[in-house]
Amino acid sequence: MSNAIGNFASGLDDRLTIASWSRRNIRKVFPEHWSFMFGEMALYAFITVLLSGIYLTLFFKPSMTEVLYDGSYVPLKGVHMSEAYASTLDISFDVRGGLLLRQIHHWAALLFVAAMSVHLVRVFVTGAFRKPREINWMIGLGLLMMGFLAGFSGYSLPDDLLSGTGLRIAEGIMLSIPVIGTYLSFFLFDGEFPGDEFISRLYGIHILLIPGVILALITAHLLIVWYQKHTQYPGKGKTNDNVVGYPVMPIYAAKAGGFFFVVFGVIVAIAGVITINPIWGYGPYMPDQITAGSQPDWYMGWLEGALRIMPNWETVAWGHTISWNVFIPAAVLMGIVFTLLGAYPWLERWATPGDQTKDHNLLDRPRNAPTRTALATGSLTFYFLMLIAGGNDIIASQLDMSINAITWVVRIGIFVIPPFVFWITRRICLSLQRKDRDLLLHGVETGTMMRLPHGEFEEVHAPLSEEAKAVILSKETIEPIPYPEKTDANGVKTPHYHLKKMQAAVSHWLYRDAVPLPSAAELEAAEHHILESAEKGAPVMHQMRQLEAEGGVMHDPSAAEADRAAGVTVPHLDAEFDQKAEDEKGQQAD
Amino acid sequence: MSQIENQEHSSEYAPVPIPHSEVRRSDVSPKQAKYQQRLISLLFGLSMLCAVIFVVAYVQIPIDETVSIPFLGTWSKMNTILGLSFGLGSFFIGAGVIQWAKQLMSHREMVQDRHPLRSPDDAREDAIAQFQQGAQESTFATQPILRRSLIGAMALFPIPLVMLLRDLGPLPGDKLFNTMWRPGMRVVMDVTSAPIRPSDIPIGGIVSAMPDGLPEVQEHDGNLNERAKSVVLLVRLNPDDIVSQQNPEGEASWDYEGVLCFSKICPHVGCPIALYEQRTHHLLCPCHQSTFDLADSGRVVFGPAARDLPQLPITVDKDGYIIARNGFAEPVGPSFWERA
């Protein structure tokens, strides 16, 4: 190390003890898998949002003061609009690279939420949320919620017709909150909608409060990942107590660092060629105007869908109105979804025998947790049905369908289709477990048929690779918690009987039907058997490989048929076969 | 563990390499390694080129220049070139670095032990002892008066924080119950403020309208609040097609010769309603597809809206222009707790 750098590092260490920290961490190992990149992608998208957002603050004017537009976008010249909208037009048409920055900001925000969502699904189906990582799961949920808020508050700022429509809906939703709704709306909007304060208030929330919270949560999220060490997929040499992968320096630093530039680059290139949120086409917001086909950003689509398919229930009682038709889909649903997501790790832990103390560092293969995986696909189906409902007008007009029919299909579908998907996913997972068991017991089918001397056909089986075997054997066979007895042998009532019964019921729901791995003895016998088959087939396989290399075919049934017809025989095989037939005859005679 | 035998460093923090079976072509072939080196440096070179293109495009391309590409519409030349050069410039750096890591950097997988996250028992006990010592020295437990009064003070402390939010907005009062509509007020064209005669609207026609004087109110208030609730739609039906209206029994019907006036604000969550189907006289809200039958008291026939579209009673003044006979009989726009 050159002297200057050495002196600098030494000086830093004198003051901050960096050497002690570095020696533990510079070569810290991180496991590698493509599915680990979604979280990373979310982080890089957020950095991109942050960077482009800083530039936008330099040009954007968060004010609802009415101005006459006098910029270079001709169709809107002389139109009354808010300063917010006018400055957004200026960014788009009069600031060089301004449109690019706006589009980078919007695309990166879309990717941020998308990557977080996929990351959430990945973490869920692989059981990465299990102890000791429940806290990080909760932080992740907080980040996702903040992502929604950041996105919504962001696309509401330009004060164009579409964003104003979104705010009008948000205000309608606020009004539906029982007791405090009207006050909440009046305080936020400084009176009635739309008022003249809201954009500047939202701006502070969008550029300071939400990103501040996101940054804090991301910092905690990453520190915890670093401290607890990343989970890893099962494989050869991978255990619950080790991490197999590449060191931060140089491999992970290079790959992760490089990946930032890739994510950033792809977002910027997309921003250069694909228009997003062309606010100039929507016009300034007027509360009495609307365009057909108004759609929120994609991550709000499911809530929009819920709002669309909800039956029109409203209760008027004791002089008060409760708008179930708005309050349930827009507020209660989100609350339920996030509560269930937040509660799931604790619920699973509660219903898993022996899970109170155990750390889970090895990921589950989704098939090995059938109920959990089925919950994921069922929930995703519910989500996508909602998303479809959110675009029912677009689908109706594009595909020439009846909007009422689509709405009714989704209204009924959300109760019917997710349970069906849940059921079928569970069956698929269990079948895959059975397939894994078969692989262990019978080895890999090579697709090579071998005819034995006595005429029997047999497929040559090859042993599983060490890697594949380790992956399959990583499965934990979990026996569900047994149902409690109401009273013990002495007639003493079991304490907390109903709670324990519920626990056992959840446990059975999670873990029943699992296909057990073969026992050690079975495995050994199977291994022996597979090796035998492989050995028996080895000469054939060898011959076949040789033939294949020469471009020939070892066995062509039609050719054999033709041979027989022509009286051609394969001497040594036929001889063996005849011998065997003789022997059998002799045995029968005895 | 057998891998320990491969340990290279004596440091307890050093990860243990495990033998990795995968051999890269660049590991064994100097030619391939050289090729990779060239490829990666080419990527970095391209990135530099992109930066130059960006600067030139920024300076040279007029901001308003567009190109028409068949099937792909009109493109802003500047935005496209800036985006592609900036984006690809970044992408090439990333691709180069990743390729470097994959092809030329050491490719050994390593193993590191995990350590239990739980503190050792003695550490836990010590932490508890320390805490208890601190708690005891604090006298928090033995000073109930101090403790309770502190808790009381802390409980009241956030009051100013909440109080300070009070002036964010006025109290709702009756604002959501009323609009500016008054008896005798003219119903005028939305943009031009021109008064409207029934004969101006053909049967089956629909017109966006507002109370006369709305622009002045807007000017005075400095906001669009009044517009957000008092805008209306005038629609003219064949009087024989009108099934019912919202007038109470015994009162004359609220139309004028088949001209009906409805609030334009959806009673669901407040979107302006604009899609009218002449044949069925249904009005569809583009936001959530609530559908109202204008020939039948603005009744909800489909969608999430729970209430009929409020109707405004109209007649004509002595000059034959449409005027409001009265204000709205109920609050317009989305439902709210106090509405009843």
Side-chain angles (χ1 to χ4, degrees), chain A residues 535-569:
Chain A
E535 254 167 49
K536 213 162 36 172
V540 187
M541 297 291 276
H542 177 73
Q543 216 177 340
M544 188 178 79
R545 252 176 247 123
Q546 261 182 340
L547 271 167
E548 265 173 7
E550 292 161 15
V553 183
M554 180 159 174
H555 179 68
D556 179 354
S558 59
E561 204 58 44
D563 284 353
R564 254 179 224 294
V568 181
T569 51

Side-chain angles (χ1 to χ4, degrees), chain B residues 86-228:
Chain B
F86 191 16
L88 289 175
S90 172
F91 180 84
F92 287 138
I93 292 179
V97 171
I98 291 172
Q99 185 72 357
W100 188 352
K102 282 179 103 106
Q103 295 295 335
L104 298 173
M105 289 184 190
S106 164
H107 196 244
R108 273 177 326 189
E109 268 198 317
M110 300 203 160
V111 183
Q112 216 164 36
D113 285 337
R114 291 179 193 268
H115 305 289
L117 294 164
R118 186 187 196 277
S119 307
D121 285 340
D122 58 333
R124 285 188 167 201
E125 277 156 28
D126 193 35
I128 293 168
Q130 301 266 1
F131 177 81
Q132 280 166 345
Q133 176 86 20
Q136 197 194 343
E137 285 175 20
S138 76
T139 67
F140 195 76
T142 52
Q143 289 279 12
I145 297 173
L146 292 184
R147 189 176 67 233
R148 283 169 203 156
S149 50
L150 174 65
I151 291 171
M154 294 297 278
L156 300 195
F157 176 73
I159 289 178
L161 297 178
V162 178
M163 215 50 203
L164 286 168
L165 296 173
R166 169 60 192 88
D167 277 352
L168 272 175
L171 294 181
D174 61 353
K175 287 213 185 69
L176 288 181
F177 289 88
N178 300 318
T179 64
M180 68 180 278
W181 286 106
R182 295 287 175 273
M185 194 174 263
R186 271 186 181 164
V187 183
V188 299
M189 297 292 281
D190 181 21
V191 181
T192 59
S193 291
I196 306 162
R197 286 196 174 92
S199 57
D200 294 340
I201 311 169
I203 286 183
I206 187 163
V207 166
S208 261
M210 61 180 184
D212 194 16
L214 178 62
E216 289 73 26
V217 171
Q218 244 166 249
E219 192 75 22
H220 172 262
D221 293 349
N223 58 44
L224 299 168
N225 299 359
E226 192 56 50
R227 178 174 287 268

Side-chain angles (χ1 to χ4, degrees), chain A residues 224-435:
Chain A
I224 292 175
V225 169
W226 189 281
Y227 185 72
Q228 295 184 331
K229 297 200 169 99
H230 205 286
T231 51
Q232 61 188 352
Y233 282 98
K236 195 182 149 204
K238 295 174 183 173
T239 71
N240 205 28
D241 304 312
N242 71 5
V243 198
V244 180
Y246 295 98
V248 165
M249 189 158 162
I251 297 292
Y252 202 68
K255 282 189 178 172
F259 190 47
F260 165 75
F261 285 92
V262 168
V263 172
F264 182 80
V266 169
I267 292 170
V268 174
I270 288 176
V273 291
I274 307 176
T275 308
I276 184 83
N277 202 21
I279 47 103
W280 53 88
Y282 307 144
Y285 179 61
M286 289 295 271
D288 58 337
Q289 287 174 15
I290 184 109
T291 51
S294 293
Q295 289 283 314
D297 272 0
W298 76 268
Y299 43 84
M300 288 288 158
W302 68 290
L303 289 173
E304 170 81 3
L307 210 50
R308 290 181 184 199
I309 62 168
M310 183 71 192
N312 59 344
W313 300 338
E314 186 172 278
T315 311
V316 177
W318 296 290
H320 290 292
T321 302
I322 305 175
S323 306
W324 305 111
N325 56 340
V326 181
F327 186 57
I328 289 178
V332 177
L333 176 70
M334 181 95 137
I336 291 176
V337 166
F338 273 88
T339 307
L340 286 178
L341 280 170
Y344 187 80
W346 313 98
L347 181 83
E348 196 186 291
R349 198 162 88 99
W350 175 65
T352 304
D355 223 22
Q356 310 306 312
T357 49
K358 197 175 171 213
D359 280 356
H360 296 274
N361 297 317
L362 215 49
L363 293 170
D364 269 340
R365 302 172 77 208
R367 69 184 61 175
N368 290 341
T371 304
R372 188 204 291 147
T373 306
L375 270 177
T377 54
S379 313
L380 283 173
T381 309
F382 176 82
Y383 177 86
F384 281 112
L385 282 169
M386 290 294 197
L387 206 57
I388 288 172
N392 60 359
D393 51 340
I394 307 284
I395 296 171
S397 65
Q398 292 294 317
L399 302 181
D400 205 14
M401 288 161 79
S402 149
I403 199 163
N404 306 30
I406 298 172
T407 305
W408 271 109
V409 165
V410 180
R411 273 178 182 175
I412 298 165
I414 55 162
F415 294 104
V416 178
I417 306 176
F420 175 72
V421 172
F422 174 90
W423 175 77
I424 203 152
T425 309
R426 225 175 150 271
R427 297 322 305 177
I428 291 172
C429 286
L430 291 171
S431 301
L432 286 171
Q433 287 190 15
R434 232 164 266 134
K435 191 199 105 188

Side-chain angles (χ1 to χ4, degrees), chain A residues 35-292:
Chain A
S35 72
F36 297 162
M37 299 208 300
F38 295 113
E40 238 182 284
M41 205 184 283
L43 174 68
Y44 301 150
F46 179 68
I47 295 173
T48 310
V49 175
L50 213 57
L51 288 175
S52 52
I54 292 169
Y55 280 89
L56 290 174
T57 61
L58 302 176
F59 301 104
F60 179 68
K61 297 189 187 77
S63 149
M64 290 173 90
T65 307
E66 194 178 279
V67 292
L68 263 185
Y69 179 66
D70 190 27
S72 35
Y73 185 61
V74 179
L76 289 175
K77 248 191 207 302
V79 173
H80 289 269
M81 57 181 63
S82 68
E83 223 175 345
Y85 186 62
S87 65
T88 312
L89 287 173
D90 288 344
I91 292 172
S92 305
F93 294 105
D94 295 284
V95 174
R96 282 183 282 179
L99 177 60
L100 184 68
L101 281 165
R102 268 195 58 230
Q103 303 206 136
I104 291 173
H105 196 64
H106 205 126
W107 276 118
L110 294 177
L111 180 68
F112 175 48
V113 187
M116 278 198 291
S117 308
V118 180
H119 181 55
L120 175 105
V121 174
R122 196 285 291 173
V123 166
F124 186 82
V125 296
T126 57
F129 56 79
R130 290 173 298 173
K131 194 188 174 197
R133 297 181 178 77
E134 303 97 326
I135 301 169
N136 238 7
W137 169 259
M138 312 287 268
I139 293 176
L141 292 178
L143 278 167
L144 186 63
M145 238 183 295
M146 283 296 136
F148 286 168
L149 284 179
F152 183 76
S153 61
Y155 76 70
S156 296
L157 283 177
D159 206 21
D160 57 279
L161 187 52
L162 187 61
S163 78
T165 303
L167 281 181
R168 173 83 234 208
I169 296 171
E171 195 253 0
I173 291 167
M174 275 179 225
L175 288 179
S176 78
I177 301 171
V179 189
I180 59 162
T182 316
Y183 288 84
L184 188 67
S185 167
F186 269 68
F187 284 161
L188 280 174
F189 285 89
D190 190 17
E192 283 177 278
F193 178 86
D196 50 12
E197 284 285 342
F198 194 67
I199 296 284
S200 50
R201 286 179 182 176
L202 197 63
Y203 184 66
I205 293 170
H206 179 74
I207 69 154
L208 183 69
L209 189 61
I210 297 174
V213 174
I214 291 181
L215 270 177
L217 290 178
I218 286 184
T219 309
H221 201 74
L222 293 181
L223 283 177
I224 292 175
V225 169
W226 189 281
Y227 185 72
Q228 295 184 331
K229 297 200 169 99
H230 205 286
T231 51
Q232 61 188 352
Y233 282 98
K236 195 182 149 204
K238 295 174 183 173
T239 71
N240 205 28
D241 304 312
N242 71 5
V243 198
V244 180
Y246 295 98
V248 165
M249 189 158 162
I251 297 292
Y252 202 68
K255 282 189 178 172
F259 190 47
F260 165 75
F261 285 92
V262 168
V263 172
F264 182 80
V266 169
I267 292 170
V268 174
I270 288 176
V273 291
I274 307 176
T275 308
I276 184 83
N277 202 21
I279 47 103
W280 53 88
Y282 307 144
Y285 179 61
M286 289 295 271
D288 58 337
Q289 287 174 15
I290 184 109
T291 51

Side-chain angles (χ1 to χ4, degrees), chain B residues 195-256:
Chain B
I196 306 162
R197 286 196 174 92
S199 57
D200 294 340
I201 311 169
I203 286 183
I206 187 163
V207 166
S208 261
M210 61 180 184
D212 194 16
L214 178 62
E216 289 73 26
V217 171
Q218 244 166 249
E219 192 75 22
H220 172 262
D221 293 349
N223 58 44
L224 299 168
N225 299 359
E226 192 56 50
R227 178 174 287 268
K229 56 183 179 178
S230 61
V231 284
V232 292
L233 288 168
L234 284 172
V235 58
R236 184 161 188 177
L237 304 180
N238 186 339
D240 297 339
D241 290 343
I242 299 175
V243 179
S244 73
Q245 294 185 51
Q246 292 179 7
N247 49 291
E249 231 169 287
E251 196 179 310
S253 62
W254 282 2
D255 70 317
Y256 183 81

